[in-house]
Amino acid sequence: MEFSTDYDGKELHILGLFIKPEYFTQVTQLMMDVNKRKEKSNIQLIEALKRVGIILDYEEIKSSALNGMVNRAHIAGEMMKKGYTSSVAEGFEKYLSPSKGFYKPPKRLTSLQIIDFIHSIGAVSVLAHPFLSLDENELLRFLGSDESCGLNGIECYYSTNDDAVTAKSLRIADEFGLIPSGGSDFHGAVKPDVYPGVGNHEGTTPNIPDEYCEKLRERAEKL
């Protein structure tokens, strides 16, 4: 599961891997309040866009999202579908990043709270696509802070990473004793340029070594 968390005003995504079925109810309970806040933020975003002439039907977007869970990528996809933008990326660049003033992020649990929760249910915590949210200095500061306490791994292989970023990520993982991981960040139709297990045509997401998966699995068994 991918959790959106807050670190020093930045949105960091923490993965919970190898979650055992007996803890699914606890995860659902945790997320119910989080999702209510997220939906309120989504509706406020739709209203803000409407004020500048971008008319979107939130219920229509919600009906097409998996389990009705809407994020900004779904909204960006609908903007593209309606012809307001030419791509999902343009939607984020022009309207959906917090700096543009339309999107007000919901109050999120902190990275440390989520990492602690993941460990409390015997799962493994991995920082996803760190360089989407942080530059290198910010990442090093995060990994050296209490907020990252107990983090097990870091996503080194990612769709938009080039070889240099992957190499840098692997070096940082080694420096902090974190298990490397990776993924395409496939999210279905809302990310049409990303393919499961492959990434996209611009990045260099290679096959991820099986040994990383096994190391993460072994870590989960020890928690």
Side-chain angles (χ1 to χ4, degrees):
M1 184 166 182
E2 185 174 18
F3 298 88
S4 295
T5 73
D6 178 77
Y7 165 66
D8 197 25
K10 300 257 184 185
E11 180 180 345
L12 298 188
H13 291 180
I14 307 292
L15 303 173
L17 304 181
F18 303 106
I19 299 175
K20 300 174 181 66
E22 57 264 34
Y23 293 110
F24 287 177
T25 298
Q26 283 183 241
V27 175
T28 300
Q29 290 173 341
L30 173 74
M31 296 309 298
M32 283 179 65
D33 182 56
V34 172
N35 288 337
K36 286 179 182 177
R37 282 179 275 168
K38 185 176 180 66
E39 180 154 74
K40 181 178 179 181
S41 173
N42 288 337
I43 293 171
Q44 290 174 337
L45 172 58
I46 296 295
E47 290 300 314
L49 292 171
K50 182 178 179 180
R51 289 194 288 272
V52 294
I54 298 175
I55 311 301
L56 304 174
D57 186 329
Y58 183 70
E59 290 304 318
E60 183 179 342
I61 298 171
K62 187 174 179 179
S63 68
S64 64
L66 181 63
N67 296 324
M69 300 302 299
V70 176
N71 58 34
R72 280 178 292 160
H74 293 98
I75 294 172
E78 189 69 8
M79 291 170 68
M80 180 178 67
K81 178 181 173 183
K82 300 291 187 183
Y84 293 112
T85 59
S86 61
S87 67
V88 168
E90 184 185 349
F92 275 88
E93 181 181 345
K94 289 186 174 180
Y95 302 101
L96 302 184
S97 68
S99 65
K100 300 306 177 183
F102 298 98
Y103 172 64
K104 305 296 183 185
K107 181 175 175 57
R108 299 185 180 92
L109 295 173
T110 68
S111 301
L112 181 58
Q113 286 174 314
I114 287 297
I115 291 170
D116 283 347
F117 172 75
I118 290 170
H119 291 167
S120 76
I121 59 175
V124 168
S125 60
V126 173
L127 176 62
H129 42 65
F131 289 110
L132 286 192
S133 302
L134 306 173
D135 61 30
E136 183 172 357
N137 289 332
E138 290 171 330
L139 175 59
L140 294 175
R141 186 163 60 249
F142 169 71
L143 294 177
S145 72
D146 290 340
E147 281 293 300
S148 70
C149 183
L151 188 70
N152 300 126
I154 184 170
E155 199 170 66
C156 297
Y157 297 99
Y158 183 68
S159 294
T160 57
N161 285 3
D162 58 22
D163 290 338
V165 172
T166 298
K168 179 167 58 177
S169 301
L170 289 168
R171 173 180 56 77
I172 291 172
D174 183 64
E175 179 180 345
F176 286 90
L178 299 170
I179 301 170
S181 76
S184 64
D185 205 20
F186 175 69
H187 277 262
V190 298
K191 286 191 174 183
D193 58 331
V194 177
Y195 305 90
V198 178
N200 66 14
H201 295 312
E202 297 178 3
T204 56
T205 307
N207 290 326
I208 301 160
D210 290 346
E211 65 182 276
Y212 295 159
C213 181
E214 291 308 313
K215 286 181 180 179
L216 291 165
R217 191 192 308 275
E218 289 170 7
R219 182 66 58 88
E221 291 172 352
K222 294 177 182 178
L223 291 173

